[in-house]
Amino acid sequence: MTGSASALETLTHIPLAPFGRVVEAPEGATIDDLPVAALARWTEESRVLVLRGFTPMEKERFADYCRQWGEVLRWDAGEVIDLVVQDDPKNYVFSSGDVPFHWDGAFVEANPRFFVFQCLDAAPDAGGETVFCDTTAVYRDAEPELRELWSRVTMTYTTEKLAHYGGRVTEKLLSQHPGTGLPVLRYAEPLDPAVYKNPVYVAVDGVEAERADDFLAALSERLHRPEYCYAHAWQAGDLVIADNYALLHGRNAFTGPTTRHLQRVQII
Ligand SMILES: [Fe+2]
């Protein structure tokens, strides 16, 4: 383990609503000064951990830092994916529009446990917030009959590989958090081919065919309720660690300048 206990005492913890936590360090602090075990525990407790005051890392060092957390997922484009808005994107992730809810890793064999972002540049009041949904809270509040229905549902997702992922995958809607053991929902909202560059089709198994559309609409409505969602407005310098099992995430459309530059690493 790296880091020191004394560095922990210089931090300020600020709760976010309805979940999440900002941890502020004195300006110029180094992330290596903090024990990974403490950060992992805070992430599991709060789902989203926003670290502020830390010096941004070079790409290679960012990947190396993340290796202290676990195995880092390697994409064709590398371990650190640059998330920037492109002029003519092949994939909606690089567009300026919204990104519906999903979990990362649906179309790869490994399910990342955490993902880590660092924000190198962001314009204020530009929209594009990353929206996180705490599915453990959604499950906790669901009626017993609905929980029972969810436990029988399986989804098959189909997409074309246009960016760094693609294929066909079947997943149970209900899963279990590997750390806390809590029930979690794994769901990727369908992407309508009329709206998104790379459509994702969702087939539901476990619900009568004529009820499938209503089932998905009701599920999305529930997941988007404000009491389950935290929308992160990015500031340059933010280092954000999120629990990819407890959460689904998406992005609001940009409403202003799209100069934002995020870098993302996924940890298995
Ligand atoms: Fe994602």
Side-chain angles (χ1 to χ4, degrees):
M1 189 189 297
T2 59
S4 70
S6 60
L8 296 176
E9 287 158 21
T10 65
L11 304 174
T12 308
H13 292 244
I14 304 155
L16 293 165
F19 61 92
R21 180 189 318 199
V22 176
V23 173
E24 281 180 358
E27 199 62 43
T30 309
I31 191 72
D32 291 308
D33 293 340
L34 303 179
V36 168
L39 294 175
R41 189 174 71 247
W42 298 342
T43 306
E44 207 161 87
E45 288 166 2
S46 300
R47 323 295 191 216
V48 176
L49 194 62
V50 180
L51 300 164
R52 288 195 169 133
F54 296 92
T55 308
M57 292 169 268
E58 293 294 324
K59 219 167 180 174
E60 244 341 281
R61 217 181 85 61
F62 182 35
D64 286 341
Y65 170 71
C66 291
R67 259 184 275 284
Q68 296 179 40
W69 283 67
E71 187 187 340
V72 166
L73 196 59
R74 175 174 278 279
W75 297 91
D76 293 344
E79 294 171 321
V80 179
I81 301 284
D82 285 283
L83 295 170
V84 285
V85 172
Q86 300 172 354
D87 286 337
D88 184 22
K90 285 203 180 108
N91 182 294
Y92 70 113
V93 169
F94 303 109
S95 75
S96 60
D98 72 307
V99 175
F101 277 153
H102 62 283
W103 78 97
D104 273 3
F107 294 102
V108 293
E109 281 180 23
N111 252 326
R113 177 78 184 268
F114 300 104
F115 46 87
V116 184
F117 294 99
Q118 65 172 359
C119 178
L120 301 179
D121 190 15
D125 304 319
E129 300 87 357
T130 299
V131 183
F132 297 95
C133 169
D134 181 359
T135 72
T136 65
V138 173
Y139 183 85
R140 179 198 65 208
D141 294 349
E143 303 78 0
E145 312 78 59
L146 187 56
R147 289 181 177 186
E148 203 276 320
L149 174 60
W150 285 347
S151 72
R152 288 187 277 113
V153 166
T154 298
M155 310 270 195
T156 297
Y157 303 96
T158 313
T159 187
E160 196 185 331
K161 182 167 178 173
L162 291 174
H164 49 283
Y165 66 90
R168 181 187 184 88
V169 67
T170 298
E171 286 268 353
K172 284 173 159 292
L173 173 61
L174 202 59
S175 185
Q176 196 181 25
H177 192 282
T180 63
L182 291 173
V184 295
L185 296 171
R186 310 255 82 184
Y187 179 51
E189 292 179 298
L191 304 185
D192 182 344
V195 182
Y196 301 97
K197 288 238 173 191
N198 54 325
V200 171
Y201 303 96
V202 181
V204 188
D205 190 32
V207 174
E208 296 144 58
E210 61 272 22
R211 288 189 50 218
D213 287 349
D214 287 347
F215 174 81
L216 293 182
L219 178 59
S220 275
E221 182 278 319
R222 197 172 277 260
L223 295 170
H224 285 274
R225 289 180 191 172
E227 64 262 40
Y228 303 129
C229 293
Y230 165 66
H232 184 66
W234 291 91
Q235 297 179 17
D238 282 354
L239 188 64
V240 170
I241 305 170
D243 181 331
N244 188 46
Y245 268 92
L247 304 170
L248 300 174
H249 64 278
R251 186 189 70 202
N252 289 337
F254 283 92
T255 54
T258 54
T259 52
R260 187 171 82 195
H261 184 185
L262 299 181
Q263 289 180 329
R264 188 201 65 201
V265 171
Q266 293 166 323
I267 297 159
I268 300 165

